Amino acid sequence: QAYNCLIHFYKRMSDPTHNSSPPSSSLVFTAQEFEDISKYLVGNSVRLYPSIIVPQSAGPARIQEKPELMMQSLIESCPFKSVMSFVVGGALGGFMGLFSSSIAPHHQTVTLSTRETLMDMKTTIVSNAKGFAFIGFMFAGTECIIESYRAKTDMNNAVYSGAVTGGILGLRAGIKAAGMGAAGFAAFSAAIDYFMHTSTLFNPQN
C-alpha cells in the first residue's frame, strides 16, 4: 500500500496538469499516505543492507554492555598480554627448572644434605622462571606493539618480535652475540608460527 502511495505521488508530480492544480491538492500527502510511507521507509520490515549477514554461531547477536567492552579492551591491550605472558612464562620456567634439577642435579664433590639439595633446586627453579618470564614478557609485549603499529596480523610480527627479544637477550654478551641472538630467535619464532598455522594439531581438518 505504501509503495502504491509513492507511485501515485510520482504520477501526480509528473502529471502535465500539475501546474494548473492547487499546491495543497497535488504536493501534500494525506495523513494516511504519509503514515504508510513513513512505515515503509523506516519500518523494521525494510532491510537497508540485505547483503550483510551477522554471524549467529555464538548465540544471538546483541549489543555489548559497557563493562564487557572495557573488559575486552583490557584483555586485548599490550600491558595485559605482556603480564600474562610473564606469569605463564615464569610458571613454565619454574616447571622446567624443577624437572631439570630433579633428573640431573648439579654434580658436587661432596654429598649434599637434603636441605642443600632443596636449596640447589630452588636456585635452578628461580633462575629458569626468571629467564622464561622475561622472554615471555619481552616477546608478547614487542609483538603486540609491532602488530598495533603495522595494523596487520601475520608471521612478520612474530619474526620482528623474535629478533628484538633475541637481540636484547644477547646484547649483554656484545654486539655480535646480539646479532646472532636476534637471527636465531627470529628464525625460531618463524618456525613456531609456521608450525602452529599449518599443523593439523592446531588446525584440524573437517
Side-chain angles (χ1 to χ4, degrees), residues 139 142 146 150 154-165 186 189:
F139 185 83
T142 53
I146 292 172
R150 297 181 66 239
D154 53 18
M155 185 184 296
N156 293 334
N157 295 330
V159 174
Y160 297 152
S161 179
V164 173
T165 304
S189 301

Side-chain angles (χ1 to χ4, degrees), residues 108-181:
Q108 301 288 341
T109 57
V110 295
T111 304
L112 298 179
S113 63
T114 303
R115 178 181 177 84
E116 291 173 338
T117 302
L118 293 176
M119 292 298 295
D120 181 70
M121 292 178 64
K122 177 183 176 182
T123 302
T124 304
I125 292 172
V126 172
S127 176
N128 281 270
K130 287 182 178 180
F132 275 80
F134 178 77
I135 292 174
F137 181 83
M138 284 295 302
F139 185 83
T142 53
E143 184 181 19
C144 181
I145 293 173
I146 292 172
E147 181 179 349
S148 301
Y149 177 77
R150 297 181 66 239
K152 293 181 181 179
T153 303
D154 53 18
M155 185 184 296
N156 293 334
N157 295 330
V159 174
Y160 297 152
S161 179
V164 173
T165 304
I168 293 176
L169 291 175
L171 189 62
R172 292 176 294 182
I175 301 299
K176 184 177 180 180
M180 295 180 61

